[in-house]
Amino acid sequence: MQLIDGKAVSAAVKQQIKDTIEKEGLEVGLAVIIVGNNQASRVYVNNKKKACEVCGIKSFEYALPEDTKEEELLELIDTLNKDDKVNGILCQLPLPGHLDEEKVIKAISPIKDVDAFSAVNVGKIMIGNYAFLPCTPAGVMELIHSTGTDVAGKECVVIGRSNIVGKPMAMLLLHENATVTICHSKTKNLAEVCRRADILVSAVGRADFVTADMVKDGAVVIDVGMNRNAENKLCGDVKFDEVAPKCSYITPVPGGVGPMTIAMLMKNTLMAKRIQSGNYEA
Ligand code: NAP
């Protein structure tokens, strides 16, 4: 079994972005909006800001109070849409309950939607003609590529069908000619389906969910889950100690998919700059 080192792969991606920005003398900016006091969101936003620094991307943070009105948030997005110094806009989710996430995502110009959450960008991902990568699934693909595994023709099982992870994950695997099965809470005989997988991606959000009996010998196992265990320690979906010995490759949590998601966000922000400079057709 070999561990897939998400930190190392993401560092290489960020270095490449930094080199490109320096070599081409680009000025690239990312606006990050955070509403309210969600502690996990604060950690994510700080990590995104740090990644911007590493890559030479200017970050603009907008920390808004919990009781921000929807019109105020939409006004800010409108201003950022028109600001040439801002190439990418992301609004950290989840938003406080009184704000309509769909409406907020829709307000971000598709050419600045570096999370690729808008219907326009999701549609482009679906047809395989996209500029912005879905960050977490694209990070997973990079990790799979780093193992030298050829995805074409492989049996791939994705557990989870969310719009931000499971569905786009399945699409990216399909675009690389895998045979893909998507599982969810109504899937029957889940363990049996998962055991078919040469590549198993878990995006459920439950600690110790993937057990050894669900994994084929020699499988590549990618753990997208980010959960807290009984000791409040960060962990994934996979029962690592019993699953790892069966795998050819496996991602740890932390240090697997998490750092890749942010690296892909940086890649999208550079792509946004190219699109807005007319160097790439969106
Ligand atoms: P989500 O929207 O809650 O989706 C979870 C999916 O798991 C749903 O499709 C659900 O099925 C499925 N599921 C739940 N219980 C199941 C069961 N017993 N059997 C089979 N499927 C089951 O979550 P998400 O946003 O996709 O995130 C998933 C996990 O990834 C979370 O831990 C999240 O924190 C993590 N995450 C990590 C990163 C990263 O950068 N590392 C990024 C994004 C998310 P139904 O659709 O039938 O309900």
Side-chain angles (χ1 to χ4, degrees):
M1 178 280 293
Q2 284 193 48
L3 268 188
I4 307 175
D5 186 347
K7 276 192 197 157
V9 180
S10 77
V13 172
K14 285 186 283 189
Q15 184 62 46
Q16 218 174 15
I17 295 168
K18 180 179 195 280
D19 292 346
T20 305
I21 288 176
E22 273 176 15
K23 201 169 110 209
E24 298 183 27
L26 300 174
E27 280 190 20
V28 186
L30 174 66
V32 182
I33 305 169
I34 177 169
V35 187
N37 308 311
N38 183 315
Q39 282 311 303
S41 292
R42 180 33 62 203
V43 172
Y44 294 140
V45 165
N46 287 346
N47 289 341
K48 286 167 188 176
K49 279 169 66 183
K50 273 188 217 151
C52 281
E53 271 170 42
V54 170
C55 294
I57 293 173
K58 198 164 177 14
S59 66
F60 307 95
E61 184 185 311
Y62 297 87
L64 308 182
E66 184 87 23
D67 60 357
T68 299
K69 292 196 183 71
E70 197 165 88
E71 307 87 79
E72 291 168 332
L73 178 55
L74 296 176
E75 252 173 56
L76 170 62
I77 292 174
D78 188 45
T79 305
L80 296 172
N81 279 339
K82 293 174 184 147
D83 185 340
D84 289 343
K85 289 193 286 305
V86 172
N87 302 111
I89 303 169
L90 81 80
C91 190
Q92 187 65 46
L93 303 180
L95 290 171
H98 65 285
L99 300 171
D100 181 344
E101 288 186 355
E102 223 178 294
K103 210 164 161 186
V104 169
I105 290 168
K106 201 171 168 192
I108 298 172
S109 163
I111 59 165
K112 296 193 176 186
D113 169 36
V114 283
D115 265 332
F117 286 167
S118 72
V120 171
N121 286 315
V122 171
K124 282 172 182 273
I125 291 160
M126 186 85 177
I127 59 175
N129 170 22
Y130 44 82
F132 295 134
L133 305 158
C135 295
T136 301
V140 170
M141 294 309 291
E142 292 266 346
L143 292 178
I144 295 171
H145 294 153
S146 78
T147 68
T149 305
D150 183 8
V151 173
K154 294 281 188 320
E155 286 277 353
C156 296
V157 174
V158 179
I159 323 176
R161 57 173 165 181
S162 70
N163 288 331
I164 61 165
V165 188
K167 284 186 208 165
M169 185 71 250
M171 279 302 134
L172 296 196
L173 290 163
L174 190 62
H175 292 324
E176 291 199 15
N177 298 317
T179 301
V180 187
T181 306
I182 307 176
C183 299
H184 46 77
S185 64
K186 306 289 185 294
T187 298
K188 297 221 163 56
N189 306 322
L190 182 68
E192 194 184 311
V193 176
C194 291
R195 272 199 304 274
R196 292 207 303 256
D198 302 308
I199 300 171
L200 179 64
V201 181
S202 182
V204 175
R206 277 171 61 178
D208 293 339
F209 184 80
V210 176
T211 47
D213 63 310
M214 296 164 75
V215 178
K216 177 175 162 176
D217 279 327
V220 174
V221 174
I222 308 285
D223 190 351
V224 181
M226 288 228 267
N227 314 300
R228 296 271 164 192
N229 66 13
E231 291 90 49
N232 203 33
K233 266 180 64 186
L234 191 63
C235 67
D237 291 346
V238 176
K239 210 166 182 180
F240 188 87
D241 291 347
E242 66 174 53
V243 170
K246 294 189 81 176
C247 305
S248 55
Y249 291 93
I250 185 167
T251 56
V253 178
V257 176
M260 289 308 295
T261 298
I262 297 182
M264 294 299 115
L265 175 72
M266 299 296 112
K267 213 168 166 173
N268 281 349
T269 307
L270 176 57
M271 178 55 86
K273 172 75 183 182
R274 295 209 188 286
I275 291 168
Q276 288 151 39
S277 312
N279 295 331
Y280 193 95
E281 197 153 328

